[in-house]
Amino acid sequence: MARIKSILMVNNDEDLCGAITEQFLATGEFTVEWAFCDKEALQYLYSNDFDAIIIDMNLPGKEAPELCAIIRKQDVNCPIIMVTDDTGISGAISGFDGSAIEYVRKPFKFSVLLAQIRSQLRQLSQIEDVNLAFGPYLFSPVQKYLMKHDGQKIRLTDKETSILKLLLQAECALVQRDVLLHKVWGYNPEITTHTLETHIYRLRQKIEQDPANSRFLVTEAGGYKIVAQP
């Protein structure tokens, strides 16, 4: 059974949000949360992970392209779709540079919005399913294992897989501890840095020849990174 996906709708039109939410729920594929302004949207994103975000161009507070840019800087990589009227299309397009992924023009049919969401989620899934290589390993996030050059497979837990995927997607850049805690465990006050360090320790036992002197999974300035070729 497919996982129910979550959508954050950022729009101050309560009637429209209600109508669209009913239609999303009717598909049996999605849940929906509403945010009526930019501040509410950022609060939701601080404590929740969403599969897609829908933002209205006529949002009170920060302009939609600016909000998209802030969201991306928080390492939120899910699809973002802007809803815009005829006069706002050029502004919407200007926000696409690294911020928004697609747009839907008002007035729109729900079927158009739904098709756009499904399309973006399929594309993202295809990207995330790609195997990633580092050092002597080929990492399969979907199958949750590392394969060495000699064909030997090293099984990973769900959390180890999530940590490794985030580190590899950062392309050798540092990922802060709080980002890993939020992305892997979500907003949970009982999860501490010690929990993360325990999982990092176990990962090193699996991928490092000498775990006490890590060559691939290194600690740096409040976070961790993968060194592809030490």
Side-chain angles (χ1 to χ4, degrees):
M1 183 176 180
R3 178 179 67 85
I4 300 295
K5 296 178 174 60
S6 58
I7 294 174
L8 175 63
M9 189 180 310
V10 189
N11 194 314
N12 65 336
D13 186 334
E14 188 170 349
D15 291 337
L16 178 63
C17 286
I20 292 177
T21 296
E22 286 183 7
Q23 294 178 86
F24 271 124
L25 294 179
T27 67
E29 301 175 40
F30 303 96
T31 60
V32 181
E33 297 287 351
W34 303 350
F36 294 106
C37 66
D38 56 326
K39 291 181 180 179
E40 284 189 5
L42 294 173
Q43 287 173 351
Y44 266 114
L45 290 166
Y46 176 76
S47 57
N48 300 275
D49 285 325
F50 292 93
D51 295 290
I53 303 172
I54 303 169
I55 301 178
D56 194 283
M57 274 293 293
N58 299 321
L59 194 66
K62 297 184 187 301
E63 292 187 357
E66 182 183 358
L67 177 59
C68 288
I70 293 172
I71 290 171
R72 288 300 189 224
K73 287 179 182 178
Q74 293 184 351
D75 199 31
V76 176
N77 299 316
C78 69
I80 299 176
I81 294 179
M82 282 193 198
V83 177
T84 179
D85 54 29
D86 289 348
T87 59
I89 292 176
S90 61
I93 294 174
S94 70
F96 288 176
D97 184 16
S99 299
I101 295 178
E102 194 50 88
Y103 76 93
V104 173
R105 183 188 302 182
K106 297 179 188 175
F108 59 87
K109 293 182 178 180
F110 174 73
S111 59
V112 173
L113 179 61
L114 179 61
Q116 198 68 262
I117 291 282
R118 286 171 171 165
S119 173
Q120 295 298 327
L121 289 173
R122 279 196 303 270
Q123 291 180 38
L124 182 63
S125 176
Q126 290 169 359
I127 291 171
E128 291 186 340
D129 286 351
V130 173
N131 291 342
L132 304 169
F134 72 100
Y137 302 108
L138 184 65
F139 171 49
S140 173
V142 175
Q143 301 298 324
K144 300 176 185 176
Y145 66 70
L146 290 165
M147 181 180 288
K148 299 179 73 172
H149 292 328
D150 61 6
Q152 178 187 355
K153 290 182 180 179
I154 301 171
R155 295 293 174 183
L156 302 172
T157 66
D158 288 345
K159 292 293 188 280
E160 290 167 352
T161 299
S162 296
I163 292 168
L164 195 53
K165 182 166 73 171
L166 286 168
L167 293 175
L168 285 168
Q169 287 176 340
E171 298 181 344
C172 299
L174 183 73
V175 180
Q176 295 292 332
R177 288 189 178 92
D178 58 350
V179 172
L180 286 167
L181 285 168
H182 173 65
K183 291 290 186 180
V184 177
W185 282 274
Y187 183 71
N188 185 340
E190 296 181 1
I191 299 299
T192 65
T193 301
H194 178 71
T195 302
L196 173 60
E197 289 173 343
T198 299
H199 283 77
I200 292 291
Y201 170 82
R202 291 172 180 167
L203 255 180
R204 283 177 171 150
Q205 297 297 312
K206 294 182 177 183
I207 68 176
E208 301 285 357
Q209 186 173 0
D210 180 5
N213 297 286
S214 298
R215 298 172 61 237
F216 297 110
L217 205 175
V218 300
T219 304
E220 239 183 56
Y224 302 95
K225 71 178 183 179
I226 289 290
V227 178
Q229 296 294 338

